[in-house]
Structures are given as C-alpha cells and as structure tokens.
Amino acid sequence: MNQLMRPAHRIRDPIYGYIWLTDAELKIIDTPIFQRLRRIGQLALTKYVYPTAEHSRFVHSLGVLQAATNIFEEVLRFNPELREGGKNDLQQDLQLLRFAALLHDIGHMPFSHAAEKFFLGEDISHEDIGKYIIQNCTEISNEIQKQNISPNAVANLLKGKQTQALAILKKFISDEFDADRADFLLRDSYFCGVKYGEYDYIRYAGSFRLIDNEEGEKAFAIEKGNLHAVEAFLLARYHYYLQVPYHRTRKGYDIVLERYFRDLTERNHLPDAGVKADKSNPEIDFERFQFFDDYTIFEQIKKDMDRGNPWAKILMRQDRLHPIFDTEKESEGNENDFLDLQEELDSAGLKKDQDYFTFDKKVEVHKILEKSDEKGESVYPVVDKNNDYKMIGSILDHSSLLESTRKKPAHLRRIYVTTFSKPMAEKALSNFTQRIEARRKRKKEGES
C-alpha cells in the first residue's frame, strides 16, 4: 500500500496483487473518456498469435500508476533527505506523478500505434491528444484541480516543457528506465503467456537514487549493487520486442492493418475519430471520441470483408501474409539478398505494398549509446553506496554487458507476400536462390 498518500480504494491485479486508488483517481477512471481505454487493446492484433493477449490500455494505465508509485517510494526510501521539504510537498509531487501515469495513454487511437498516423497525421501524436484531453475535458481537469494540482503540469509531464523538478518526475514515466516499460513488460508477458519480458521487478524498482549533478541539479542515478537488475530489465525488453511486437506473424498483421487504413483513407472511408488533428490548435469532440475504439474499426472491417476487401479478410483472420525472407543478423550479404529479392519480385510483375511487403527494423538491446551527454555529464550515472553514494561513472563504464552490446542491434529484414501472389513469389524466390547458389559456387571455385 502507498504509505505516503494512503489511498482508500484497492482493485485486484495479477501483476502487483493490488492497485491502490484515491477518490479523485477513481472518479477520473469512471469518466467515459477513460473507460474508452477498456476498448483499446494493449497489443492490437497480437492476440492472433498469442490468444490470451486480450488485455487493454485501461489495465496497463492502472499498472503504470502503481509502478510509478512503487519506484517513487523506493527513491524516497533511499533518499531520506527529500522528506525535508515536508510531507505535503511530497504528497503533491506523488499525486502529480500518479495523475500523469494514470493518464499517459488517454489519447491512444484504436489499435494503438498502427492507426495513429492515419487519424492524426505526421505532426501530432497520441501524447498531444492526451495533453489536450487533460487540459480540456472538464470531468478530468476539475478532479485534478480539486487536489490543488494544475492540469497543465500533468499534461506537460506527458509532453511539453517542464521545470527541472518536473523533468525529474517525467523520468518516472517516460525514460529508458520508466514505469511505463516496467509495467508493460510484465503485463504483456503475463497475458501473452511468455517469459521473455520477465525480470526482478522488486529489485529493479529499488535500483534508482537521486543525486546532485555537477550543476547542482537533481539527476537520476543507478546504485552499483543493482546493475544486474537493470541489465536484466534491458535484456528482458530486448527479447520481448523480438518475440512479441516484432514476432514474425504478428508483424504481418500490423503490416496489413496499415495497408487497410491506407485503403480506407484512399476511399475516404476512414471513420470519424472526432479529432481535429491540427498541431497548433487541436480540437476533440469528446462526445464522439469517447466511442471511438477498436470496436469502431472492427465494425468497418466486417463490412469491408463482406464487400470482398482482401485486407479486411486478413484482419478477420481468414487469410494471412506469408513470409518468404526473414533474417535478423546485420551483414552486407543479408542486406544485398534483401534488396536483390525485391528486384526479383518486381521483375516477376509483383507490386510492392500490394502483392508483397517489406519490414526493415533495427532492434537495440538498449539505447544508451554514449557515456556522457552534450554537457559532458554521465548518462545514467552509477553511484556506490560503499562510497557515500558518490558518482563513479556512467552505466556503460560499469556494465560490460551493456558496453559490449552498444550500437550492435539485431536487424530484422523480412519480405511477406499475399496468398494470391504466393505461387509467383515462390517461383521468383526459387530463381533467386538458384542464382545465389551459383554465384557462391563460382566464388568458391575461384578461391580454390
């Protein structure tokens, strides 16, 4: 239980046992805009690969609130000097953080990230929509204000300018090591029935300290004795990305989903989200937006399947894309094969993004690429409790694992074909394979 705020309500959760909520948080959760998240899947069409992955953005949002609270209280436990500012200030900081954690996904589109660019365009994101909702949906903003907290401060924790104090709070919910990732790794792994995203949550949550950097500002640091917990977290995330979001079959459905949204856009049949996606002046029709969810899109998909739309048929899981090329090792040979096979498919009369599709993505173990930032300060500094918690360098200085995997991502390169195009694609693949084998044979003979 949260000892600093002592919230009155609790709900059961398979990850944390209980998630504790205040009256104000419960009122926000009960608003139609927040309840909409029950109808936004956390992992889109991953359930077509892992059938139990039916959980929603709603339960993830509650989980991030709990994870952010746990990490905040662990930092407080190991930094008792922070209590000198007074209990009331800490309660306000924690409540601000909890509101932001709870509302961090409030602006998500149906099917999460796959739909975002079609409904919002390239210049606006779900964070911008979330920010607008927090500031302008009175059912939410009024509850925040009743706690003597500015809705603008909550919104700016999601996206926008922060004071130095708010920038520290933002790291709890949006950073390389944050409550968002802490929750979705455990929750998605649990509901998918896989082990790839599991890690020692209790040890991880207690891994962080606040220190004064060279400019006298508060900064996040990692306690040296917890480096293995942090490494395990990053490795869990890496394996999770490869086996869940970028799973070969699941990614095929993501590709079709994007192709279907493009088809809807071209036919001017894209459902109305109730969002005016203007970066300088966005507007939301809350009455319409509260009903805009995965079910809205599925109703359109069902109608289009009846009309014979091939993409809708796949999205109803009556067909699928077929991978004919799949590699994750970074090499010049793999890159050349990836490009040459596309040329072979083009020569066979197959059209990219219609008959065949490509996926090209680098997946890093972590994104900590440098030991110091542009100011010369250590990136993710490490402190030693046996040396009065003094900074002893960057995480890359003390983790041989992270240093050895820096800038060495897996490189996923895949080619998928439709069922209709599969026979022609397989013939093209056979010709391509024979030509490659003949080339390698000549090279080997020349070397001997």
Side-chain angles (χ1 to χ4, degrees):
M1 180 180 175
N2 174 5
Q3 297 298 316
L4 189 60
M5 296 178 59
R6 297 188 179 278
H9 308 281
R10 65 179 184 178
I11 58 174
R12 290 191 180 273
D13 181 72
I15 307 302
Y16 308 105
Y18 287 107
I19 294 174
W20 294 85
L21 301 166
T22 65
D23 289 339
E25 291 158 358
L26 198 59
K27 289 178 181 178
I28 289 173
I29 288 168
D30 284 339
T31 62
I33 291 291
F34 196 92
Q35 288 293 312
R36 168 184 170 273
L37 295 180
R38 289 183 184 271
R39 306 185 300 277
I40 304 289
Q42 168 73 0
L43 290 175
L45 295 177
T46 302
K47 59 189 176 183
Y48 284 177
V49 178
Y50 299 108
T52 55
E54 293 275 3
H55 57 304
S56 65
R57 289 276 166 187
F58 178 90
V59 294
H60 167 61
S61 296
L62 300 183
V64 175
L65 176 147
Q66 187 63 45
T69 301
N70 292 346
I71 297 172
F72 183 94
E73 291 189 328
E74 285 296 294
V75 169
L76 208 57
R77 184 160 71 92
F78 287 103
N79 288 88
E81 73 279 2
L82 296 176
R83 297 181 182 274
E84 295 174 3
K87 184 177 179 180
N88 290 338
D89 290 342
L90 288 175
Q91 287 177 332
Q92 285 292 94
D93 287 343
L94 179 54
Q95 183 62 84
L96 171 59
L97 174 63
R98 284 169 63 90
F99 279 143
L102 182 65
L103 295 165
H104 81 285
D105 273 350
I106 194 71
H108 255 295
M109 296 293 104
F111 294 101
S112 299
H113 299 285
E116 194 164 298
K117 65 181 179 182
F118 294 96
F119 290 102
L120 302 180
E122 300 292 343
D123 297 327
I124 197 168
S125 68
H126 72 270
E127 287 94 348
D128 294 303
I129 299 302
K131 186 174 181 178
Y132 180 92
I133 291 171
I134 292 168
Q135 293 170 323
N136 295 278
C137 179
T138 55
E139 291 177 298
I140 292 175
S141 62
N142 286 348
E143 289 302 325
I144 294 173
Q145 288 175 325
K146 287 177 184 177
Q147 307 308 309
N148 296 317
I149 292 174
S150 165
N152 288 339
V154 176
N156 285 334
L157 274 188
L158 302 185
K159 189 171 184 177
K161 294 181 179 180
Q162 300 99 29
T163 63
Q164 200 274 330
L166 288 182
I168 288 295
L169 286 180
K170 184 178 177 65
K171 285 184 176 292
F172 284 92
I173 56 172
S174 181
D175 196 56
E176 186 76 1
F177 308 104
D178 63 20
D180 185 9
R181 291 168 173 83
D183 181 78
F184 78 61
L185 285 178
L186 295 177
R187 190 171 301 278
D188 293 357
S189 298
Y190 176 87
F191 283 103
C192 287
V194 302
K195 302 294 184 182
Y196 305 113
E198 293 184 355
Y199 63 97
D200 185 350
Y201 171 74
I202 300 298
R203 187 70 181 265
Y204 171 80
S207 296
F208 307 101
R209 309 288 182 267
L210 279 182
I211 63 170
D212 293 320
N213 62 19
E214 294 179 359
E215 296 183 356
E217 297 175 339
K218 293 295 182 184
F220 254 87
I222 300 164
E223 203 282 306
K224 182 180 178 182
N226 292 319
L227 276 176
H228 294 307
V230 172
E231 289 173 340
F233 170 83
L234 292 174
L235 283 175
R237 190 180 70 184
Y238 173 70
H239 291 136
Y240 160 84
Y241 276 126
L242 290 178
Q243 296 298 326
V244 180
Y246 299 136
H247 183 284
R248 185 172 68 175
T249 304
R250 178 249 156 96
K251 196 60 199 175
Y253 286 113
D254 285 350
I255 289 171
V256 173
L257 193 58
E258 289 195 22
R259 181 63 183 84
Y260 176 68
F261 283 133
R262 182 154 62 87
D263 182 57
L264 289 178
T265 303
E266 291 168 353
R267 293 189 287 126
N268 200 29
H269 282 183
L270 206 63
D272 184 4
V275 176
K276 177 187 174 185
D278 185 335
K279 189 171 181 64
S280 60
N281 187 30
E283 293 180 11
I284 298 177
D285 179 348
F286 293 124
E287 291 295 323
R288 182 176 293 276
F289 185 74
Q290 69 185 16
F291 297 114
F292 183 61
D293 50 36
D294 288 359
Y295 297 99
T296 308
I297 304 302
F298 261 120
E299 285 302 312
Q300 183 71 45
I301 291 171
K302 287 187 284 186
K303 292 176 183 177
D304 282 332
M305 181 181 170
D306 286 341
R307 299 184 184 112
N309 184 292
W311 316 119
K313 183 178 180 181
I314 294 174
L315 295 176
M316 290 297 289
R317 212 175 184 280
Q318 300 303 299
D319 197 358
R320 66 184 180 91
L321 294 185
H322 306 271
I324 62 169
F325 182 90
D326 184 8
T327 181
E328 66 177 55
K329 185 177 180 181
E330 179 69 277
S331 73
E332 184 177 350
N334 285 340
E335 181 180 11
N336 291 337
D337 289 350
F338 180 63
L339 297 174
D340 291 346
L341 180 53
Q342 291 180 62
E343 291 183 4
E344 189 75 36
L345 295 172
D346 292 338
S347 298
L350 300 179
K351 294 183 179 179
K352 187 175 182 179
D353 296 333
Q354 181 68 29
D355 301 310
Y356 76 91
F357 300 84
T358 61
F359 176 63
D360 189 350
K361 176 73 176 181
K362 290 183 178 180
V363 183
E364 302 94 347
V365 175
H366 59 88
K367 296 182 180 180
I368 308 170
L369 303 182
E370 305 297 339
K371 295 182 179 181
S372 58
D373 60 19
E374 64 275 6
K375 297 180 181 179
E377 296 180 356
S378 293
V379 175
Y380 300 106
V382 175
V383 295
D384 186 357
K385 70 177 182 180
N386 296 319
N387 190 18
D388 295 326
Y389 288 101
K390 290 182 179 178
M391 188 172 66
I392 56 174
S394 162
I395 188 173
L396 293 179
D397 292 317
H398 295 274
S399 172
S400 56
L401 173 64
L402 299 186
E403 173 61 25
S404 65
T405 54
R406 181 167 61 116
K407 300 182 181 180
K408 293 181 180 179
H411 196 153
L412 306 179
R413 292 186 176 98
R414 296 172 184 157
I415 299 176
Y416 299 83
V417 298
T418 64
T419 298
F420 179 80
S421 304
K422 188 179 178 184
M424 294 177 63
E426 287 178 338
K427 184 177 180 180
L429 178 62
S430 177
N431 294 337
F432 171 77
T433 302
Q434 291 175 14
R435 192 165 65 252
I436 292 296
E437 289 177 350
R439 183 191 307 165
R440 289 171 179 168
K441 183 178 180 181
R442 289 194 301 269
K443 182 178 179 181
K444 187 175 181 179
E445 290 173 348
E447 291 174 350
S448 60

